[in-house]
Amino acid sequence: MIGAQLFSPGLTVRPAPAGGTGATVQGGRETKVRETAREFEATFLAMVLKEMRQSLEEGLFPGDSGDVHGGLFDLYLGRHLADGGGVGL
């Protein structure tokens, strides 16, 4: 059997078929795997946005010394980008 069994019996990740793209997930937890991947991508995008925003000299939100607005902006924009199809992670 080609593939690797992850964490629970019945969940198998198989390599992409010839000519196909991406691995396939089989088992009862396919939606959980997809949701976890979407959350990972949203978190990753939020971290990238934070680093990009901090590279600005003045910042996006002048007067926000605690960076609360910027952090929320990164979080929600990262989630929005991931829910809209993501960037292919």
Side-chain angles (χ1 to χ4, degrees):
M1 176 177 170
I2 297 175
Q5 213 160 26
L6 302 174
F7 305 117
S8 69
L11 179 64
T12 304
V13 177
R14 298 182 189 275
T21 58
T24 59
V25 178
Q26 297 176 345
R29 297 183 182 228
E30 182 175 346
T31 56
K32 182 66 174 171
V33 171
R34 289 185 190 279
E35 181 61 31
T36 302
R38 184 176 295 119
E39 287 294 322
F40 171 78
E41 189 169 26
T43 302
F44 177 76
L45 289 171
M47 291 174 66
V48 169
L49 290 166
K50 177 182 176 185
E51 292 298 322
M52 290 172 54
R53 186 177 43 78
Q54 287 180 344
S55 70
L56 298 173
E57 290 181 22
E58 294 181 22
L60 290 177
F61 305 100
D64 182 19
S65 61
D67 200 31
V68 174
H69 292 99
L72 289 173
F73 174 78
D74 301 335
L75 177 71
Y76 286 110
L77 186 57
R79 185 171 306 276
H80 179 73
L81 290 171
D83 289 342
V87 294
L89 293 181

